[in-house]
Amino acid sequence: MKQIPMLDLKREYEYMKKDIDDAIKQCLEHQKWILGPEVKELENKIAGYLGVKHCIGSSSGTESLVLSLRALAIKIKGQEFFDNNDEILTTSFTFTATGDAVLRSGAMPVFLDIDPETYNIDTNKIKEYLEQSPKARVVGILPVHLYGQACNMEEIMKIAGKYNLFVVEDVAQAFGGMWKDKKLGSIGNTGAFSFFPSKNLGGFGDGGVVSTDDDKIAELARMLLKHGGRDKYNVDHIGYNARIDTLQAAIVLSKLKYIDEFNDKRRKIADIYTQGLKNVEGIVLSKSLPEAYHVQHQYTIRILDNKRDELQVKLKDQGISSMVYYPYPLHKMKVFGNGRSKIYGSLENAEIATQSVLSLPMEPLQSYDETSYVIDCIKAFFVK
Ligand SMILES: Cc1ncc(COP(=O)(O)O)c(C=O)c1O
């Protein structure tokens, strides 16, 4: 029986083996494991790729979010953390780390509903909340470019400008994605990227980067990730040890060469899925916005009539992996309870999504036949 994994990192390693082996060998030779030359090189290359002034390597996507928010708190409020009545508007349909980073920055996450067709934050809800809650002390917006597709950044930046809010983009799933001609992570005050191995630009462990055009934020983020000071032995702020390892930087650097090719391959696989599944009754495809260059970190469909779990089991029996990103909305998690977060209105679309979405195998090196096999098995499930 065919085996189709969600992702095949071994296959990708074989594809770029020489680059990666050479990069690791170079590290073994120079032995500069902390903030070695590959870290600066990676920061400069990504800054150039995104078209931003600064990139700061970090130990994960989560830390990139925390560093962004803490740097903003210090810059805007002149204090180490936000207060818990400083509100940050974000989506409930994301990975836990998005909301968790808001808590760790001291602020109050306000969870808003999503657009049911793109799964990204509903910008109308952002507007409504700001109009209907004049007493709320909203300080920022944290949009998540889920599954590799941009949120409507034009609209979000317009709202942020009107209400004087900062914007931190969660770009963990969308390296190389764009809104019109702008790379994601170059539009808000900062972008927070993740190099978790399964991300569309992933390392061989944890890592991430903060992108920004703001000199002050860049300087603060750099201080915070190295214990909080310019001088490690005499610090100014409550900091972290959140550096990216030299080895991870070297690996990500060698994979960066392939990112455009791999994003393009993902988009081609997505097109095959879309063509094959578009007329299947019982499935709703995600909407791709014409303004967004969608990098298809995931190809996610919605399964109607509570059949998602049954389909997932059936696919597994046929050797096909699939994943539910995400089975719980953030506002239903204990960590965000006890007055630690707020919700606005009904989060019905987020809740429906948690019960109906299914992400299909999306390996850039997946063959046409493998993708067709997944399509055929899904079709066979619905045609009974
Ligand atoms: C949307 C989103 N935000 C944040 C993160 C956190 O990134 P990391 O796992 O590198 O900490 C992830 C991925 O894990 C993510 O998918």
Side-chain angles (χ1 to χ4, degrees), residues 60-62 65 94-95 97-98 144 170 172-173 194 196 199 207 326:
S60 69
T62 308
L65 287 166
T94 177
F95 182 57
T98 312
V144 180
D170 184 334
Q173 301 189 7
S194 163
F196 185 82
K199 296 299 189 236
Y326 293 96

Side-chain angles (χ1 to χ4, degrees), residues 286-306:
S286 311
K287 183 174 176 185
S288 285
L289 300 175
E291 301 91 339
Y293 182 80
H294 191 330
V295 292
Q296 301 289 344
H297 175 58
Q298 301 295 343
Y299 188 88
T300 303
I301 57 177
R302 182 196 299 274
I303 314 299
L304 299 176
D305 305 324
N306 283 325

Side-chain angles (χ1 to χ4, degrees), residues 6-63:
M6 282 300 287
L7 193 63
D8 189 347
L9 293 177
K10 259 194 187 162
R11 203 192 280 197
E12 292 186 28
Y13 171 58
E14 287 303 323
Y15 191 79
M16 43 182 97
K17 187 174 184 327
K18 182 159 177 6
D19 292 295
I20 292 175
D21 289 357
D22 287 352
I24 292 174
K25 192 156 168 265
Q26 206 174 321
C27 293
L28 291 170
E29 276 163 13
H30 68 51
Q31 293 283 321
K32 291 180 180 136
W33 300 115
I34 305 294
L35 299 180
E38 288 81 359
V39 173
K40 184 67 18 228
E41 197 184 336
L42 179 70
E43 290 175 344
N44 290 342
K45 283 242 167 82
I46 294 182
Y49 180 87
L50 299 176
V52 294
K53 257 171 106 177
H54 309 278
C55 266
I56 302 103
S58 80
S59 56
S60 69
T62 308
E63 296 314 301

Side-chain angles (χ1 to χ4, degrees), residues 79-183:
Q79 53 188 60
E80 292 291 310
F81 295 90
F82 286 112
D83 297 313
N84 88 337
N85 56 355
D86 290 327
E87 298 182 355
I88 298 179
L89 310 184
T90 192
T91 166
S92 183
F93 190 59
T94 177
F95 182 57
T96 330
T98 312
D100 195 34
V102 177
L103 294 183
R104 287 177 57 201
S105 77
M108 170 76 68
V110 179
F111 294 120
L112 307 182
D113 207 2
I114 55 167
D115 173 322
E117 292 186 300
T118 63
Y119 304 104
N120 277 330
I121 193 164
D122 182 343
T123 49
N124 289 323
K125 297 286 171 193
I126 304 179
K127 279 191 240 166
E128 269 177 37
Y129 184 73
L130 289 161
E131 279 161 17
Q132 291 173 20
S133 323
K135 292 213 175 98
R137 218 164 76 190
V138 181
V139 291
I141 309 173
L142 205 175
V144 180
H145 305 303
L146 201 73
Y147 303 147
Q149 175 160 234
C151 296
N152 184 337
M153 287 310 293
E154 222 164 334
E155 197 60 44
I156 289 172
M157 294 312 289
K158 214 189 280 171
I159 301 168
K162 180 170 172 195
Y163 290 90
N164 194 25
L165 311 176
F166 65 74
V167 175
V168 170
E169 297 175 67
D170 184 334
V171 208
Q173 301 189 7
F175 195 101
M178 292 195 267
W179 179 261
K180 293 193 171 165
D181 58 347
K182 285 207 168 133
K183 287 263 167 30

Side-chain angles (χ1 to χ4, degrees), residues 203-314:
F204 289 180
D206 285 307
V209 93
V210 175
S211 56
T212 187
D213 276 326
D214 184 321
D215 297 344
K216 183 74 189 159
I217 293 294
E219 187 194 18
L220 286 166
R222 232 176 245 299
M223 285 165 81
L224 291 171
L225 70 85
K226 288 187 290 185
H227 304 284
R230 286 182 199 89
D231 176 347
K232 183 170 156 189
Y233 300 109
N234 181 14
V235 307
D236 305 4
H237 298 291
I238 303 170
Y240 311 97
N241 180 352
R243 298 171 294 234
I244 188 168
D245 287 338
T246 303
L247 195 58
Q248 286 313 328
I251 291 162
V252 174
L253 201 49
S254 47
K255 291 181 82 176
L256 183 62
K257 289 184 210 157
Y258 297 87
I259 189 65
D260 288 341
E261 177 192 337
F262 271 40
N263 281 341
D264 190 51
K265 285 184 175 359
R266 286 173 184 276
R267 286 166 55 83
K268 292 201 166 105
I269 293 166
D271 281 346
I272 299 169
Y273 275 135
T274 299
Q275 286 311 313
L277 295 173
K278 68 181 179 198
N279 296 323
V280 179
E281 228 170 276
I283 290 178
V284 180
L285 303 183
S286 311
K287 183 174 176 185
S288 285
L289 300 175
E291 301 91 339
Y293 182 80
H294 191 330
V295 292
Q296 301 289 344
H297 175 58
Q298 301 295 343
Y299 188 88
T300 303
I301 57 177
R302 182 196 299 274
I303 314 299
L304 299 176
D305 305 324
N306 283 325
K307 292 221 172 103
R308 193 256 320 266
D309 296 349
E310 196 187 329
L311 172 63
Q312 191 173 27
V313 170
K314 190 83 188 159

